[in-house]
Amino acid sequence: LAYSSRLTDLGIASLADHCRDLTSLDISNCIRVTDVGVAAIAEHCPRLETIDLGWCENMTDVGVTLLATHCSRLRSISLKQCEQLTDRSVIKLATLCHQLVALDVSHCNRLTDAAILHLADHCPHLVS
């Protein structure tokens, strides 16, 4: 679904509701998807292991926090260029997603040392 510029929260919510066994999802560059769509994924797809939200410019800490809370099996998440994200997202992922091995937060310019220190302390399996 990557680069589906016309895809909205409605489509994502329907996918999440009907495909509850999803383990991997790439909605990078789906610029109309917001925290509402990601909340549906978090609520309905607890087996999710990999998600790419890169360049989803409407993504905030709310959506990422919900993913971390409900999808504790997450192993890989890309948040590349999700410019609204703050330390809160990364700290929640580090705290709740103990199987995390890959995290891309490049060009997330609001992150500080606090988020990276939390990753170092809580994500011993992180390799990229």
Side-chain angles (χ1 to χ4, degrees), residues 64-108:
V64 176
T65 297
L66 287 169
L67 278 175
T69 301
H70 296 286
C71 302
S72 61
R73 295 182 185 184
L74 275 177
R75 296 179 49 76
S76 176
I77 183 167
S78 175
L79 302 168
K80 185 175 190 171
Q81 206 144 351
C82 293
E83 295 176 348
Q84 296 186 54
L85 299 183
T86 69
D87 290 347
R88 181 175 174 223
S89 291
V90 173
I91 289 170
K92 190 62 90 168
L93 285 167
T95 303
L96 298 176
C97 300
H98 302 290
Q99 298 178 41
L100 201 62
V101 294
L103 173 65
D104 186 350
V105 289
S106 49
H107 302 286
C108 293

Side-chain angles (χ1 to χ4, degrees), residues 1-9 12 25-34 38 52-59:
L1 296 174
Y3 296 90
S4 298
S5 61
R6 298 177 77 183
L7 183 65
T8 68
D9 293 329
I12 293 297
L25 183 62
D26 183 350
I27 52 173
S28 59
N29 281 286
C30 293
I31 58 175
R32 294 184 181 186
V33 174
T34 71
V38 174
D52 190 337
L53 298 168
W55 294 281
C56 289
E57 57 193 38
N58 294 309
M59 186 63 43

